[in-house]
Amino acid sequence: MADPAISQRLDELRETIRHHEYRYYVLDSPEISDAEYDAFFQELQELEAAHPELVTADSPTQRVGGEPLPGFVQVRHLEPMLSLANAKNEEELKAWYARLMKLCADAGTDYWDLPFVLEPKIDGLAVSLRYEEGRLAIGATRGNGDIGEDVTQNIRTIPSVPLALRPEAQPFPSVVEVRGEVYLPLEAFARLNEQRLAAGEPTFANPRNAAAGSLRQLDPRVTASRPLAAWFYGVGYVEGVEFPTQQSVLEWLRQGGFRVNPHIRAAAGADDIVEAFRWWQDHRADLDYDIDGVVVKLDNRQLQGVLGAVGRDPRWAVAFKFPPTTAQTKLLSININVGRTGVLNPWALLEPVEVGGVTVERATLHNEEDIKRKDLREGDIVVLQRAGDVIPQIVAPLTDLRTGLEKPFHMPDKCPSCGTAVVRVPREVAVRCPNPDCPAKRSESIKHFVSKSAMDIDGVGEKLVDRLLELGLIKDAAGLYLVKPGQLANLERLGEKSAANIVGAIEASKTRPPDRVLFALGIPHVGAENAELLIERFGSVAELSRASAEEIAETPGIGPVIAASVHEFFRDPRNQDLLSRLEEAGLKISEAAEAPAKGAEGGPLTGKTFVLTGTLPSLSRQEATEMIEARGGRVTDSVSAKTNYLVVGESPGSKLAKAEKLGVPILDEEGLRHLVAG
Ligand code: IVH
């Protein structure tokens, strides 16, 4: 007979541990430290080891147990697991809504303002957990909807899955099937793939596959090593309890100890649904899990029953899907574009395909190494991915679909524009055309010169630049300033008026400040920010052009590689010639930049770069900027590795995440005031 004091302590420990697991895994709000939790857990383990006859199946120590299975056993769900019809866009959603309203009216419902529940559509793996007398009895995959696979041993290893219902789950059904989605958090997915790559094992294509692979392990210890999580959103068979609404189901799940997604919300009417959908679309990237749409459910369960299903798809619910961010298409050819510095950039011509709501027919391919690593071949069917507003990427070829006619890629050894033998830059993956007269380089340099962030010459686009080069009207950027309206007016589709406008725009660009002129020259490694730093230090382009590499490298924020590149550029007689012709044309080459009016040289913040984000409690943006500049600091728009401080207020933007990633120190207003006070 067991000592009642021991049984009591075991009960207490289990209660305590369950409570803290619930706080930690389900509510995400722990009450004790990890060490305190570990102490309870260890005490329980030791006590159970001493009294094995007192171990219960729902003890927190019993999540990972049992031997590897020879195979999975099939189980029949007590109630079928349904699926969902899709709405691919707003029109389809509105059509579904209109049909539903009609059906509700036919069913005699006064259908105005019918409440709906909107849930994220988790991109994971559907599971059904059967609790008998409050204890987890069976955990199963969806299978074909009627019969799934028994993965109970694996489900038990997921820490947020209750092994027993909390007594707060009232009413307390003797049998209930709880439905939800198991997933692998994105961070865990990335880590898992890194580990697999390092171990030479095949990686998972996406978090969904990784979750599926992890749940369908015959050895539960493997599953336990993968940090799976779950969200719960429904019930199947329930013995003796009627839930009036979907909201009441969700509330019961919360009470029972299940993880219910905190973003679930109510909606009424199609417009409300569409608005919520857009919110999800904007915020999905912030989540730690993939969602592929929003599930819209009629709240009233009795009405759900009346409406029924078409096949497996209930009439009362729909999956309002986001446009897919991946697609498959054919890689037609790999082409080369020669950049302004002569780098050969491969790019892919694709069979046009819609991905993430836009039609894509080109993708950048970065460099030769990238193409080799992915083993991309002309003619391959490839997976394209476009996340948010990012440029489309080719993820991988579908090698299974190869016919044998695909052509592997080789970087040309001659420049496709001028035929000069290319050179490989040591320690860089890039291949360059060394010919300073290469027509492609000329054309790209001029296009950079006129672009918005450089000289911003309105009306001189890529086509016009190429046309002017072709006709021999210009040879480089300086030539633009000699073009006469009459020469332009003769060009195809250009009237006198637009010719005059273009010449006016070219003329107006002469007033651009020296740092813009420097950036427009297109010196390798000199972007807008570096150009600003260099002009700040040397005052003018002419002064910089006379500096030694060592002097340039003394500029705060400018390293030896950039300095060497700048120095080399100005040593080239062609570039010196370009510079003097630009000066003749009237550009600010020798003219010094207007001195920073603040007279703050030598202030305590000299050389320090700040970025502001969010709303500060008492300072306006303007005031904060003035405060920093008055002490010699600079305020720039975007966070980079060169940023010294990010000043953060209420509702910061993406700059915060970027600063955290780069390890940029973060200040609030008070911190800024301290710094300024020295
Ligand atoms: S309800 C009422 N709710 O989507 C119909 N399903 O295409 C039963 N899913 O098999 C599903 N999140 O794997 C429902 N909040 C959610 C969901 C969800 C993801 C998955 C589930 C289901 C599939 C249907």
Side-chain angles (χ1 to χ4, degrees):
M1 205 36 214
D3 179 344
I6 289 175
S7 296
Q8 197 190 336
R9 181 64 189 152
L10 280 169
D11 282 346
E12 261 170 32
L13 282 168
R14 288 174 188 149
E15 270 302 316
T16 308
I17 292 168
R18 263 185 218 124
H19 170 78
H20 292 299
E21 287 184 342
Y22 174 67
R23 297 289 316 184
Y24 186 90
Y25 290 108
V26 179
L27 301 186
D28 197 14
S29 133
E31 290 170 338
I32 59 171
S33 70
D34 290 2
E36 286 168 297
Y37 169 85
D38 290 345
F40 285 128
F41 201 88
Q42 199 182 338
E43 186 186 345
L44 177 62
Q45 270 178 327
E46 283 167 5
L47 213 51
E48 284 182 345
H51 304 274
E53 73 286 358
L54 297 179
V55 177
T56 58
D58 62 357
S59 168
T61 58
Q62 302 303 300
R63 284 197 177 268
V64 192
E67 289 303 305
L69 301 171
F72 292 116
V73 176
Q74 301 207 315
V75 271
R76 180 173 283 277
H77 305 301
L78 300 178
E79 198 163 283
M81 290 181 78
L82 296 177
S83 82
L84 290 167
N86 288 337
K88 287 194 289 295
N89 48 47
E90 287 182 20
E91 273 125 74
E92 291 189 12
L93 185 272
K94 287 187 169 150
W96 168 81
Y97 185 84
R99 273 198 309 277
L100 182 68
M101 288 303 111
K102 176 147 190 337
L103 289 166
C104 289
D106 291 349
T109 318
D110 176 9
Y111 58 82
W112 303 112
D113 281 341
L114 275 182
F116 288 85
V117 179
L118 306 186
E119 301 171 1
K121 186 166 191 299
I122 312 294
D123 197 8
L125 210 68
V127 292
S128 181
L129 313 186
R130 191 195 299 176
Y131 289 82
E132 292 173 356
E133 306 304 338
R135 311 240 170 275
L136 176 60
I138 297 173
T141 61
R142 178 175 185 279
N144 64 9
D146 292 316
I147 295 173
E149 282 177 326
D150 184 337
V151 288
T152 313
Q153 288 212 65
N154 293 340
I155 292 277
R156 290 175 63 95
T157 69
I158 303 174
S160 55
V161 167
L163 298 180
L165 297 180
R166 290 168 65 82
E168 288 87 342
Q170 290 302 327
F172 199 93
S174 53
V175 180
V176 57
E177 288 179 312
V178 171
R179 303 276 163 86
E181 200 87 352
V182 169
Y183 68 94
L184 192 64
L186 298 181
E187 213 188 285
F189 166 69
R191 220 171 332 113
L192 176 62
N193 263 358
E194 262 168 40
Q195 285 165 4
R196 291 176 72 85
L197 206 60
E201 289 165 329
T203 52
F204 290 108
N206 53 49
R208 212 195 93 81
N209 288 4
S214 304
L215 200 60
R216 294 194 71 264
Q217 286 289 333
L218 292 170
D219 184 348
R221 278 165 299 194
V222 177
T223 310
S225 75
R226 311 265 171 89
L228 292 169
W231 293 116
F232 293 92
Y233 48 71
V235 290
Y237 178 78
V238 194
E239 179 106 0
V241 178
E242 293 282 347
F243 292 106
T245 59
Q246 170 66 7
Q247 293 282 18
S248 65
V249 170
L250 295 172
E251 186 49 31
W252 181 87
L253 289 171
R254 282 186 203 106
Q255 295 300 323
F258 295 93
R259 238 172 129 233
V260 175
N261 194 282
H263 299 294
I264 292 177
R265 54 162 275 183
D271 291 340
D272 210 8
I273 295 172
V274 169
E275 189 199 302
F277 175 77
R278 293 197 184 132
W279 184 91
W280 282 104
Q281 203 163 13
D282 291 344
H283 289 83
R284 65 190 289 206
D286 306 335
L287 304 173
D288 180 33
Y289 43 91
D290 274 341
I291 62 174
D292 56 353
V294 174
V295 184
V296 183
K297 297 177 181 174
L298 192 63
D299 195 26
N300 185 319
R301 302 236 317 160
Q302 196 228 329
L303 203 48
Q304 288 179 5
V306 174
L307 293 166
V310 191
R312 293 251 168 235
D313 302 341
R315 288 196 181 84
W316 46 267
V318 75
F320 191 1
K321 302 273 287 248
F322 298 131
T325 53
T326 63
Q328 293 177 12
T329 192
K330 189 165 181 173
L331 170 56
L332 298 173
S333 60
I334 297 179
N335 306 278
I336 303 289
N337 170 40
V338 182
R340 73 186 142 86
T341 60
V343 174
L344 271 58
N345 299 307
W347 59 275
L349 182 69
L350 305 163
E351 217 162 71
V353 65
E354 198 178 295
V355 40
V358 298
T359 304
V360 171
E361 47 193 327
R362 281 161 184 252
T364 60
L365 290 171
H366 307 295
N367 53 53
E368 188 181 9
E369 226 167 66
D370 198 42
I371 299 171
K372 292 250 150 71
R373 194 169 40 79
K374 291 179 180 160
D375 186 21
L376 292 176
R377 305 182 188 180
E378 288 182 329
D380 267 337
I381 303 295
V382 295
V383 178
L384 259 188
Q385 177 159 36
R386 185 177 164 275
D389 44 15
V390 181
I391 311 163
Q393 303 267 339
I394 295 183
V395 182
L398 295 172
T399 48
D400 290 356
L401 301 181
R402 281 197 176 142
T403 60
L405 297 176
E406 294 75 16
K407 286 206 314 236
F409 172 75
H410 298 289
M411 201 64 161
D413 44 24
K414 294 210 174 69
C415 170
S417 173
C418 68
T420 307
V422 298
V423 291
R424 277 173 198 272
V425 187
R427 279 175 309 172
E428 267 185 46
V429 278
V431 172
R432 281 177 205 273
C433 167
N435 175 12
D437 291 319
C438 172
K441 277 163 79 170
R442 276 181 188 280
S443 143
E444 291 300 318
S445 312
I446 303 173
K447 287 171 188 169
H448 168 73
F449 185 88
V450 300
S451 68
K452 193 134 205 80
S453 48
M455 298 301 276
D456 189 15
I457 307 184
D458 218 20
V460 184
E462 305 210 340
K463 286 214 181 83
L464 184 60
V465 169
D466 283 334
R467 191 85 186 104
L468 293 172
L469 279 167
E470 249 170 61
L471 294 172
L473 287 175
I474 59 169
K475 285 204 170 55
D476 56 24
L480 286 170
Y481 295 93
L482 302 173
V483 172
K484 302 272 173 310
Q487 294 173 308
L488 289 177
N490 287 337
L491 298 182
E492 247 175 281
R493 272 173 303 197
L494 261 187
E496 262 176 42
K497 184 139 193 290
S498 25
N501 285 344
I502 291 170
V503 173
I506 295 174
E507 188 62 27
S509 73
K510 292 179 181 172
T511 60
R512 301 282 176 264
D515 62 301
R516 293 276 288 272
V517 177
L518 177 60
F519 170 59
L521 291 175
I523 305 171
H525 304 299
V526 180
E529 202 167 317
N530 286 340
E532 226 178 285
L533 294 173
L534 288 164
I535 290 299
E536 215 164 90
R537 162 98 181 163
F538 290 93
S540 69
V541 180
E543 200 57 43
L544 173 65
S545 77
R546 290 188 284 269
S548 70
E550 292 73 32
E551 285 166 340
I552 301 173
E554 281 165 17
T555 311
I558 300 291
V561 174
I562 305 171
S565 169
V566 174
H567 184 252
E568 192 187 326
F569 180 89
F570 287 119
R571 287 294 71 71
D572 186 331
R574 292 161 203 271
N575 293 332
Q576 283 173 8
D577 175 53
L578 173 70
L579 216 58
S580 54
R581 284 182 296 116
L582 286 173
E583 173 139 47
E584 253 163 60
L587 270 65
K588 296 188 177 174
I589 303 292
S590 295
E591 208 171 314
E594 281 166 36
K598 297 99 201 173
E601 289 285 293
L605 302 184
T606 302
K608 300 275 185 257
T609 307
F610 291 73
V611 174
L612 309 173
T613 184
T615 313
L616 298 177
S618 73
L619 289 172
S620 73
R621 218 180 164 73
Q622 182 65 29
E623 287 164 344
T625 304
E626 281 168 10
M627 197 159 146
I628 292 165
E629 288 182 345
R631 273 98 185 152
R634 286 193 330 127
V635 178
T636 63
D637 278 339
S638 57
V639 175
S640 76
K642 296 201 182 84
T643 308
N644 293 98
Y645 297 100
L646 180 74
V647 183
V648 177
E650 178 115 14
S651 319
S654 60
K655 290 173 187 169
L656 179 57
K658 184 150 182 216
E660 282 170 347
K661 205 164 138 205
L662 293 172
V664 171
I666 292 166
L667 300 175
D668 58 6
E669 182 177 315
E670 206 186 315
L672 175 65
R673 286 182 187 279
H674 268 290
L675 196 70
V676 163

